[in-house]
Amino acid sequence: MPTKRKWSANVKTDSTHPPAGLFNKDAATIARTLASKRVSPKGPGSGMRMLTFFINRAGLNLSAKRRAVLNRAKSLLSERVRRASEAKKRRSSS
């Protein structure tokens, strides 16, 4: 019986280009890089989706220490997403 492939194995995107080895760095660097327009042209929300996708794809292969670093990056990036959405609301209301 052939092995069943996951849908995520076929995901390919051209809109985002994280640098090689990015997810092996510290949390602040990951968050800052994923929030940049060069990596996430649609804003930090796109970077958050990339990070969540990476964590979900890595699954049980992540060590507890690495998962903690990635979750810290996720919370830092979440703060950036929140600030970006607040700034957007302020610009549209004025």
Side-chain angles (χ1 to χ4, degrees):
M1 177 177 210
T3 58
K4 185 176 175 186
R5 295 195 54 164
K6 297 186 183 276
W7 66 268
S8 55
N10 296 323
V11 172
K12 291 174 181 52
T13 179
D14 193 38
S15 63
T16 54
H17 302 282
L22 173 66
F23 297 111
N24 294 324
K25 297 184 179 183
D26 64 291
T29 303
I30 294 170
R32 185 177 57 253
T33 304
L34 288 177
S36 73
K37 287 287 187 186
R38 183 178 53 82
V39 175
S40 305
K42 294 183 181 178
S46 176
M48 178 64 87
R49 287 186 293 276
M50 253 191 290
L51 180 55
T52 302
F53 182 77
F54 178 80
I55 292 170
N56 290 341
R57 281 292 286 150
L60 298 175
N61 295 327
L62 282 176
S63 68
K65 188 175 181 180
R66 192 74 224 150
R67 186 176 296 276
V69 169
L70 292 172
N71 282 328
R72 175 72 180 135
K74 201 170 170 182
S75 66
L76 292 171
L77 193 54
S78 177
E79 179 64 25
R80 286 180 181 248
V81 169
R82 187 186 61 75
R83 278 187 280 155
S85 69
E86 286 176 358
K88 192 175 184 180
K89 286 178 186 175
R90 273 186 269 139
R91 282 193 305 262
S92 65
S93 66
S94 51

